[in-house]
Amino acid sequence: MIKKTLGLLILLLSGTLNAHTISGTITNQDNTPLSGVGVYNKNTGNYTYSNNSGAFRLANVTINDRIYFYSLGFKNKELLISENQLDTPLQIVLEEAAVSLDQVVLVSNINAMSSFVNVDVKSDPVKSSQEILRKVPGLIIGQHAGGGKAEQIFLRGFDIDHGTDIAINVDGLPVNMVSHAHGQGYADMHFIIPETIDNIDFGKGPYYADKGNFNTAGYVDLTTKKTLDKNVVSMEVGKYNTLRGLGMLKLLESDDDNAYIASEYLISDGVFESPQNFNRINIMGRYNHKDDAGNEVNLTASHFQSKWDASGQIPQRAVDNGNIGRFGAIDDTEGGNTSRTNLLLNHDKQLDQHSRFKSKFFISKYGFELYSNFTFFLEDPINGDQIKQKENRTLIGGESSYDRTIHLENNSQFRFNTGLGFRYDDINEVELSHTMNRKTTLEQLALGNIDELNAYGFFNINYKINRWNINPGVRIDYLKFDYENLLTTAYDQKSENKLVVSPKLNAIYQASQDLQLYAKTGIGFHSNDTRVVTANNGERILPLAFGADIGTIYKPKDRLVLNMALWHLFLEQEFVYVGDAGIVEPSGKTKRFGVDLGARYQLTDWLYAYGDVNYTYARSAEDPSGEDYIPLAPDLTSSGGLTFKGFKNLSGGVNYRFIKDRPANEDNSIIAEGYFVTDFNLNYSWKNWSFGLIVDNLFDTEWNETQFATTSRLFNETEAVEEIHFTPGTPFFARGKVSVSF
């Protein structure tokens, strides 16, 4: 026994003595430090990333280990470690190259698929900020109110509406609006200029301790560019009196300090018979500072405002009997206006090679006014059923987090991440009114002030040993809800508060350099509207989501990636505030399970293909069979594309999105028709000029972008009718684009 113990100690000591730590700095060919570059030991599977100053440190390295340096947009570099490199700081220079799938290494981090999907993003740039969501495999979006309203989102068998079950952030700024005038979790991304988007990070399921409210079906984090490579000015012109101008200009450029301003202006009459008169303006300014002490500061200011008219959702019977065309309207006085002004400060401090401190603070001023008419003359046969939803909001929040990695013996490391934060929404005069012709207020149905606070803390651990990465975590959220009813003569204010604990556990097994297996489980939640919480005296108002995933990512070749996941998600009883009617509706327990399949293939240096297929079984857990369908929950979706870049002076691509027919009501007696739509773009570059053609719906498919089973009555009808009401999808829509960079 003693001999065995001594032998083991000698073996451990030998491994410790032979293992070393390498360090150094990574730059590009212009000697600019590169952050976020992956440093991967092919022999042991250990990995790290360069910090804000381009510095890196990798433990447990021995002679003849192969160290791999990789980052999107740069040629991969491999280094065979010799004895003299173990004690000498390394100077690594990466050469720029076209984005390629082989620039991503499969490592055992929690969301490896995000790295591969970013190849999709950089190979086929998006045309709108909302379209970036379509890059998330299995996520479908649709617009049904003119283009100024947030899109409807579908993911993993959820009709997420405008964001109830997906948490969306941009540079750490939350997009979702709690207790919104139109719908809980309302996520309007139109304040983002698409050309400024640099990176997308996403995760499906409620498995991430640093993600809180609305992270049930998943989350999406967008990162925008910190600096500009070049100045860019562009102009788009297309059908339906569409015009879009873009400018992105450097204001400051030096080794430590950079600043730029980006602006966008868009006008369009849209495809409908009644012109949308749509216009939107975006302005964003960013200042970036880096220094040798490991500090990085980003200060971002932006302003967005938009106005539009809309033709709304139309009943199928009105089109079938010839009263209106597919692009006609029953009430063309719908529409609205909205604005958002943001100030965001991000600070990242690299304390040493093993630890970093991050903090952020944000403030937003937000305004919203929307006019809709879903039932036409059902409630008011004389004046119609048009409603107004309005609010003015101030959003304030901040977060600080600390991250530390401890390298242990025997090829293992321990990393923990902990943080504290808060978010406070001050929402004034949240209104629901019955209106006529967008001018006359007939009756105020609801009016009040909302104050909502969410304070939280999280603790995350990553323990990596040999081929395993074990990631337990926990999150604690405290929520306080206050609602003041302004329609009562007496003072009427109600307040509730709740605490929710959300444990998580993820495990990743790196079977080889080319194969990753993972299992994830956790509890998440989405808060209900403050008006629901106070109306129900705080009972059952933080519905929990219980999720589990098992899956694999396989990279059989440097340029081919395959992925598969089996998943399950269960949601508790909840109450839903229907903003369009000002009422509270109970919704029972639901269950969902499904499978996600995906493939990405870099056929050549310039040709790239990707595709995803997603199947979901979604049902109520309480209703009898045959009456347990979840309205509008998609069961089969798919998206993909073929893109080319760097082929002589040409670039472009073709992509598709598909959604199968799905039930529009609980007994599947009304069907929302599916669709298959194809888009196309082509660009030609000459010197610093670029000439492009963008085509939406290349084959002019007749499709319904959004659909609802709605009970409505037209002006001359004596009885109400329940049937599909839809917003028609865009027909063939071509735009030309000219850009110049300097």
Side-chain angles (χ1 to χ4, degrees):
M1 181 66 180
I2 295 176
K3 289 183 178 180
K4 288 183 179 180
T5 304
L6 287 174
L8 181 60
L9 288 173
I10 292 171
L11 182 62
L12 290 175
L13 183 60
S14 174
T16 304
L17 292 174
N18 289 331
H20 295 261
T21 298
I22 62 170
S23 62
T25 304
I26 306 173
T27 66
N28 64 10
Q29 292 172 301
D30 296 329
N31 204 36
T32 301
L34 298 176
S35 62
V37 176
V39 184
Y40 175 65
N41 188 329
K42 284 190 172 182
N43 293 64
T44 66
N46 278 356
Y47 61 92
T48 188
Y49 298 94
S50 59
N51 65 22
N52 298 332
S53 303
F56 71 93
R57 187 179 181 89
L58 184 65
N60 299 320
V61 178
T62 59
I63 297 173
N64 293 327
D65 279 358
R66 293 177 299 156
I67 308 301
Y68 208 58
F69 301 88
Y70 60 95
S71 181
L72 276 182
F74 293 90
K75 285 185 179 180
N76 296 332
K77 188 164 188 173
E78 185 174 311
L79 191 65
L80 184 66
I81 296 298
S82 61
E83 185 173 358
N84 65 336
Q85 290 172 323
L86 293 174
D87 302 313
T88 305
L90 302 175
Q91 298 295 324
I92 306 299
V93 179
L94 297 186
E95 181 182 346
E96 292 187 13
V99 170
S100 175
L101 201 59
D102 55 6
Q103 295 166 359
V104 184
V105 175
L106 182 59
V107 296
S108 58
N109 60 17
I110 303 304
N111 277 329
M113 272 309 300
S114 284
S115 300
F116 295 110
V117 169
N118 272 297
V119 181
D120 302 0
V121 175
K122 296 182 184 297
S123 298
D124 185 22
V126 295
K127 301 180 288 294
S128 70
S129 56
Q130 296 294 115
E131 189 180 323
I132 190 69
L133 292 178
R134 291 191 182 129
K135 296 297 184 182
V136 176
L139 192 151
I140 301 291
I141 64 171
Q143 175 59 255
H144 58 256
K149 184 179 175 183
E151 274 76 0
Q152 188 178 11
I153 302 172
F154 302 91
L155 178 67
R156 284 200 160 179
F158 280 87
D159 171 9
I160 293 176
D161 195 20
H162 301 289
T164 311
D165 287 283
I166 186 169
I168 303 176
N169 293 272
V170 180
D171 297 317
L173 176 72
V175 178
N176 302 77
M177 295 293 182
V178 298
S179 303
H180 189 269
H182 182 66
Q184 177 69 333
Y186 187 88
D188 184 354
M189 296 175 60
H190 294 124
F191 69 91
I192 308 164
I193 300 173
E195 285 82 358
T196 65
I197 295 173
D198 186 50
N199 192 63
I200 180 173
D201 174 44
F202 72 91
K204 297 181 184 179
Y207 313 126
Y208 318 100
D210 59 335
K211 313 300 176 190
N213 201 359
F214 305 116
N215 174 215
T216 53
Y219 78 88
V220 178
D221 284 353
L222 301 180
T223 304
T224 56
K225 298 178 187 295
K226 296 177 180 178
T227 61
L228 295 183
D229 294 329
K230 296 180 179 180
N231 300 312
V232 177
V233 176
S234 72
M235 181 70 69
E236 291 179 26
V237 179
K239 295 176 65 178
Y240 316 116
N241 297 320
T242 300
L243 177 68
R244 178 177 182 260
L246 169 76
M248 298 173 63
L249 304 174
K250 300 179 185 179
L251 301 179
L252 178 64
E253 188 174 26
S254 69
D255 291 340
D256 295 333
D257 300 283
N258 289 269
Y260 72 88
I261 188 169
S263 60
E264 172 198 43
Y265 183 64
L266 173 63
I267 57 174
S268 179
D269 283 340
V271 302
F272 299 90
E273 294 174 12
S274 296
Q276 282 189 8
N277 299 311
F278 175 79
N279 70 78
R280 180 175 74 225
I281 186 168
N282 267 320
I283 301 174
M284 168 189 170
R286 167 160 294 170
Y287 167 74
N288 172 266
H289 168 80
K290 284 185 177 182
D291 59 38
D292 294 335
N295 288 293
E296 180 174 10
V297 176
N298 285 283
L299 179 62
T300 308
S302 64
H303 175 73
F304 147 82
Q305 63 185 47
S306 178
K307 289 181 63 178
W308 68 97
D309 298 327
S311 296
Q313 297 141 203
I314 57 175
Q316 185 65 53
R317 64 187 183 279
V319 177
D320 292 342
N321 63 26
N323 285 348
I324 59 173
R326 273 183 54 81
F327 298 95
I330 301 298
D331 181 356
D332 63 359
T333 65
E334 297 183 64
N337 61 82
T338 186
S339 65
R340 181 167 181 170
T341 303
N342 306 303
L343 183 64
L344 171 66
L345 176 66
N346 293 92
H347 177 234
D348 191 341
K349 170 67 174 177
Q350 195 76 36
L351 301 174
D352 54 41
Q353 295 287 356
H354 303 284
S355 58
R356 68 192 300 183
F357 181 80
K358 297 176 68 175
S359 58
K360 66 179 180 183
F361 176 80
F362 55 84
I363 181 170
S364 292
K365 293 288 291 183
Y366 173 79
F368 175 86
E369 184 177 52
L370 178 69
Y371 294 85
S372 308
N373 191 344
F374 304 108
T375 54
F376 311 122
F377 294 92
L378 178 66
E379 303 295 337
D380 187 337
I382 304 300
N383 301 305
D385 298 347
Q386 187 181 88
I387 59 171
K388 175 175 73 171
Q389 295 165 316
K390 185 177 181 180
E391 69 165 64
N392 289 289
R393 176 187 305 248
T394 300
L395 168 63
I396 301 173
E399 179 183 290
S400 294
S401 63
Y402 176 72
D403 189 297
R404 182 169 180 81
T405 301
I406 301 171
H407 297 283
L408 306 172
E409 297 177 359
N410 305 323
N411 193 30
S412 63
Q413 68 180 33
F414 177 86
R415 176 185 176 189
F416 70 89
N417 174 248
T418 185
L420 294 171
F422 79 98
R423 167 182 175 161
Y424 172 67
D425 289 74
D426 177 23
I427 318 164
N428 294 314
E429 297 184 342
V430 186
E431 177 185 358
L432 173 65
S433 294
H434 178 199
T435 59
M436 182 176 64
N437 296 328
R438 205 162 154 180
K439 290 185 177 181
T440 305
T441 297
L442 302 174
E443 180 185 6
Q444 284 190 324
L445 304 174
L447 182 67
N449 294 330
I450 294 174
D451 292 280
E452 188 168 327
L453 171 68
N454 180 191
Y456 59 87
F458 60 86
F459 187 75
N460 219 9
I461 295 173
N462 277 273
Y463 177 58
K464 187 180 182 304
I465 179 167
N466 297 323
R467 298 180 182 273
W468 286 94
N469 186 359
I470 310 298
N471 170 223
V474 65
R475 181 184 179 93
I476 301 175
D477 286 86
Y478 168 79
L479 294 102
K480 189 174 188 300
F481 309 87
D482 291 288
Y483 180 62
E484 179 187 3
N485 190 340
L486 298 178
L487 291 184
T488 57
T489 54
Y491 179 70
D492 182 10
Q493 181 168 351
K494 295 181 179 180
S495 179
E496 298 289 344
N497 60 81
K498 284 290 180 180
L499 187 73
V500 60
V501 180
S502 308
K504 328 278 184 179
L505 178 61
N506 305 304
I508 296 94
Y509 179 68
Q510 196 76 26
S512 70
Q513 294 179 12
D514 306 318
L515 179 64
Q516 178 188 111
L517 307 173
Y518 62 84
K520 303 179 180 182
T521 185
I523 299 174
F525 75 98
H526 75 245
S527 67
N528 276 328
D529 190 291
T530 290
R531 291 160 287 188
V532 175
V533 176
T534 54
N536 288 278
N537 299 315
E539 296 296 326
R540 297 183 295 176
I541 49 76
L542 285 180
L544 300 181
F546 301 83
D549 269 54
I550 58 171
T552 181
I553 304 173
Y554 181 42
K555 197 176 184 187
K557 298 180 180 179
D558 284 345
R559 296 192 167 195
L560 175 64
V561 176
L562 308 173
N563 67 279
M564 181 188 74
L566 301 173
W567 59 271
H568 177 266
L569 194 61
F570 173 82
L571 260 71
E572 287 186 328
Q573 166 72 37
E574 57 183 296
F575 290 96
V576 178
Y577 180 81
V578 183
D580 299 333
I583 60 175
V584 176
E585 288 184 351
S587 176
K589 298 179 176 67
T590 60
K591 58 184 178 182
R592 295 168 172 84
F593 58 84
V595 58
D596 297 339
L597 300 171
R600 277 145 185 82
Y601 187 29
Q602 189 84 45
L603 289 86
T604 68
D605 287 345
W606 53 270
L607 188 61
Y608 176 71
Y610 64 96
D612 296 281
V613 178
N614 309 91
Y615 171 77
T616 300
Y617 179 87
R619 294 290 188 273
S620 166
E622 298 177 324
D623 295 322
S625 178
E627 300 176 13
D628 58 349
Y629 292 90
I630 299 175
L632 301 179
D635 56 8
L636 183 63
T637 63
S638 180
S639 61
L642 186 67
T643 66
F644 60 95
K645 195 172 185 179
F647 178 69
K648 297 183 178 178
N649 292 342
L650 295 173
S651 64
V654 59
N655 55 70
Y656 75 89
R657 57 190 183 276
F658 164 77
I659 185 168
K660 182 177 173 287
D661 292 354
R662 61 199 191 279
N665 60 353
E666 288 80 358
D667 63 5
N668 200 25
S669 60
I670 302 176
I671 302 296
E673 294 182 356
Y675 56 80
F676 187 103
V677 177
T678 306
D679 299 330
F680 171 79
N681 69 89
L682 179 66
N683 296 280
Y684 175 78
S685 298
W686 177 71
K687 295 182 178 179
N688 60 328
W689 289 85
S690 177
F691 305 90
L693 174 66
I694 303 167
V695 180
D696 295 337
N697 195 358
L698 178 64
F699 301 112
D700 199 22
T701 300
E702 185 177 289
W703 62 295
N704 295 337
E705 186 163 8
T706 55
Q707 301 169 80
F708 302 88
T710 305
T711 300
S712 67
R713 183 168 62 186
L714 302 179
F715 184 69
N716 294 320
E717 291 180 332
T718 57
E719 298 293 333
V721 178
E722 183 185 20
E723 66 169 352
I724 284 292
H725 292 56
F726 69 93
T727 299
T730 302
F732 179 91
F733 179 21
R735 315 190 288 284
K737 180 177 181 179
V738 179
S739 301
V740 60
S741 58
F742 53 95

